[in-house]
Amino acid sequence: MYQTILTHTEQGICTITINRPDKMNALNKDVIQELGAALEAARIDTAVQALILTGAGEKAFVAGADITEFTELQAAGGKALATVGAELVFNKIEQFTKPIIAAVNGFALGGGCELAMACHFRIASENAKFGQPEVNLGLIPGYGGTQRLTQLIGKGKAMELLMTADMITANEALQLGLVNHVVPKEELLSLANLILTKICTKAPIAIQHIIHLVNQAAIGAKDGLQQEIDLFGACFDTEDKKEGISAFLEKRKASFKGA
Ligand code: COA
């Protein structure tokens, strides 16, 4: 069905694999369109509870936007490219109501690092490498890199990585808090599945509120605490709250319905 990505759903977890390994899974227009379509399909599919984003092949998660598409672009075209990407993919992932984690299996450069950073959190294989090399091309990140890298690792480190275009290893990314776990590459997808399987046992509406509120905190929303109070209250009207409290009192595992 898709030409540039693969999707596979098993036990509530949809894995989307960007599949242009001979081009380091670079994000061309087709990948952006198809990722947007796959995200929309996953959003409305009640069988999908959580998502993993990864790259095909041994070398790359995503080595950036497809540089060959940049040659003819001028200001308006560049702005349009970034706007479409944000709407279809990057902001959509960040605000997705189901958890999405990036399983970074190799180079995550430029738009690839930005794609990983748009996900709710990241895990990486030992061979993963991260960087924002846009300044080497006379550009800056356009898919959220200046904002999300600063949110994730702080101003000083973000300034250095963005200005030097240096690549960092998975372990350096771990130290900076850019990724949460580093594992051998054979274990990457099983760890992603393990973490999401655990999250899928929790109350889906509560998870949805967590995603929203942490995103609000990350952008420094002035009313974040008030939003938390409001959504905390809203949880009390859910079926899942009744089930969660009953299960605790009855000393059994809760079975949540997302209602
Ligand atoms: N856009 C388009 N094509 C890309 C690409 C990108 N961002 N990244 C890699 N490719 C292509 C290469 O042009 C090459 O294509 P070819 O076989 O037709 O020549 C193929 O993918 C393999 O890449 P190659 O450079 O030969 O692999 P490598 O192992 O020597 O280096 C990288 C890997 C990731 C370090 C290197 O490809 C690179 O620096 N890519 C660009 C990263 C970048 O600047 N991203 C930000 C874009 S804004």
Side-chain angles (χ1 to χ4, degrees):
M1 170 166 127
Y2 298 115
Q3 307 302 312
T4 63
I5 62 171
L6 304 167
T7 64
H8 171 75
T9 300
E10 201 171 323
Q11 295 188 325
I13 299 172
C14 173
T15 302
I16 302 179
T17 307
I18 296 151
N19 189 29
R20 297 181 75 208
D22 53 328
K23 296 290 176 193
M24 301 279 162
N25 301 321
L27 301 175
N28 63 12
K29 286 199 179 89
D30 292 342
V31 180
I32 294 292
Q33 290 294 330
E34 292 194 344
L35 272 178
L39 288 165
E40 185 53 24
R43 189 183 70 79
I44 58 180
D45 186 347
T46 51
V48 174
Q49 291 174 270
L51 293 91
I52 297 169
L53 208 54
T54 193
E58 296 288 303
K59 291 184 80 171
F61 172 69
V62 167
D66 191 320
I67 298 170
T68 63
E69 289 185 347
F70 286 1
T71 45
E72 302 299 321
L73 287 184
Q74 294 183 333
K79 188 173 174 184
L81 183 94
T83 304
V84 169
E87 273 170 24
L88 288 183
V89 177
F90 293 82
N91 293 355
K92 192 168 175 110
I93 289 174
E94 182 170 67
Q95 291 155 17
F96 218 67
T97 54
K98 305 173 186 182
I100 307 188
I101 68 178
V104 181
N105 58 305
F107 289 111
L109 302 176
C113 188
E114 292 171 294
L115 188 64
M117 291 194 293
C119 292
H120 299 146
F121 59 93
R122 291 140 293 285
I123 64 173
S125 56
E126 286 163 342
N127 62 317
K129 293 226 163 56
F130 296 81
Q132 296 287 162
E134 289 84 354
V135 291
N136 289 335
L137 303 169
L139 295 171
I140 62 168
Y143 287 142
T146 62
Q147 305 303 295
R148 294 192 181 103
L149 190 63
T150 307
Q151 288 159 14
L152 284 165
I153 69 171
K155 182 174 167 182
K157 288 289 183 186
M159 286 280 195
E160 183 178 346
L161 283 183
L162 290 161
M163 291 198 279
T164 61
D166 279 350
M167 254 192 247
I168 58 169
T169 64
N171 279 320
E172 287 170 311
L174 182 66
Q175 278 173 15
L176 290 171
L178 185 55
V179 302
N180 293 8
H181 305 279
V182 176
V183 290
K185 65 176 191 296
E186 314 74 56
E187 294 169 28
L188 184 65
L189 288 179
S190 53
L191 178 63
N193 275 286
L194 192 74
I195 295 171
L196 286 178
T197 300
K198 183 191 278 187
I199 294 173
C200 288
T201 64
K202 316 301 179 193
I205 294 172
I207 296 293
Q208 186 179 324
H209 292 334
I210 298 275
I211 293 169
H212 171 75
L213 290 165
V214 175
N215 279 335
Q216 292 293 294
I219 60 167
K222 295 226 173 353
D223 63 344
L225 283 171
Q226 186 57 48
Q227 288 193 57
E228 182 182 290
I229 289 169
D230 294 343
L231 291 173
F232 175 74
C235 288
F236 280 76
D237 277 350
T238 63
E239 289 298 317
D240 284 349
K241 170 261 179 184
K242 283 188 204 135
E243 166 62 10
I245 304 292
S246 304
F248 176 79
L249 295 175
E250 292 161 17
K251 300 190 189 302
R252 62 173 173 81
K253 270 197 154 173
S255 173
F256 294 115
K257 297 199 166 47

